[in-house]
Amino acid sequence: MSDDTRPLAVFDLDGTLADSGHRQHFLEGSRRNWDAFFAAAPHDPPLEEGVSLVLASVQECEVVYLTGRPERCRRDTLAWLDRQGLPRGGLHMRGNADRRPARRTKLEILERLGREREVRVLVDDDELVCDAAERAGFTVVRARWAAPSPSLKDAQERQGRT
């Protein structure tokens, strides 16, 4: 965590800042190819609405990123954020073996962040994550600017994969 004392603006990646639509086909059917799904992440185009919100938020907040991507994707994820010109900030990722639903893993991290600093806002596309965060008292912006993916929703909730 930085020594910055500004409030935190917490941003999800897939479906919020990164358009993962081109790699959804790896999650369809009974034989999901997780390695290929995550290997394609560096090629995600940015979602302009989310990027604009990050750039506006950095004026008053320290930006941090909260993703369900596994820790093994850290290097590629940091490189993607740099290529998009997004501000550097903490990157909170799922443990490689953590298969809990995103609504649990993300809320746990949000609550930890909230004990250390004010969390001004969470921006996420996962409705269950947003619902859980709101119930816990966090302010939420629901990222509804990307096409929803039933395969990704299943991965986030039932399989604890992203």
Side-chain angles (χ1 to χ4, degrees):
M1 180 77 62
S2 100
D3 61 358
D4 196 332
T5 58
R6 295 178 296 164
L8 299 175
V10 181
F11 286 85
D12 171 51
L13 292 174
D14 297 329
T16 300
L17 300 178
D19 185 352
S20 57
H22 71 99
R23 54 190 168 103
Q24 297 306 314
H25 64 95
F26 293 118
L27 301 182
E28 295 168 358
S30 61
R31 295 183 51 92
R32 295 186 166 115
N33 187 339
W34 291 103
D35 289 338
F37 177 78
F38 289 120
H43 306 292
D44 289 355
L47 290 166
E48 192 56 42
E49 296 89 338
V51 169
S52 294
L53 195 52
V54 169
L55 297 176
S57 296
V58 78
Q59 302 303 316
E60 294 184 14
C61 297
E62 178 183 353
V63 171
V64 297
Y65 304 97
L66 174 58
T67 181
R69 292 179 186 183
E71 185 64 41
R72 70 179 179 274
C73 298
R74 179 172 291 277
R75 182 178 301 145
D76 285 344
T77 301
L78 288 170
W80 185 89
L81 290 165
D82 282 345
R83 281 194 308 277
Q84 308 317 311
L86 292 167
R88 292 183 184 247
L91 174 59
H92 302 273
M93 304 183 85
R94 173 190 298 277
N96 288 329
D98 189 344
R99 298 289 185 265
R100 293 175 297 151
R103 64 186 156 81
R104 290 194 182 138
T105 59
K106 288 185 174 183
L107 186 60
E108 181 179 288
I109 293 168
L110 269 177
E111 288 175 334
R112 187 181 75 231
L113 291 171
R115 285 191 294 272
E116 299 169 6
R117 299 263 290 280
E118 174 194 347
V119 175
R120 169 98 26 108
V121 67
L122 166 70
V123 184
D124 201 302
D125 68 316
D126 184 327
E127 294 292 334
L128 295 174
V129 169
C130 292
D131 290 347
E134 285 178 337
R135 280 193 302 273
F138 293 97
T139 299
V140 171
V141 171
R142 294 172 188 258
R144 293 181 172 146
W145 40 81
S149 164
S151 299
L152 186 58
K153 182 178 174 93
D154 179 65
Q156 290 169 325
E157 181 59 21
R158 289 193 326 110
Q159 298 183 6
R161 291 287 194 142
T162 184

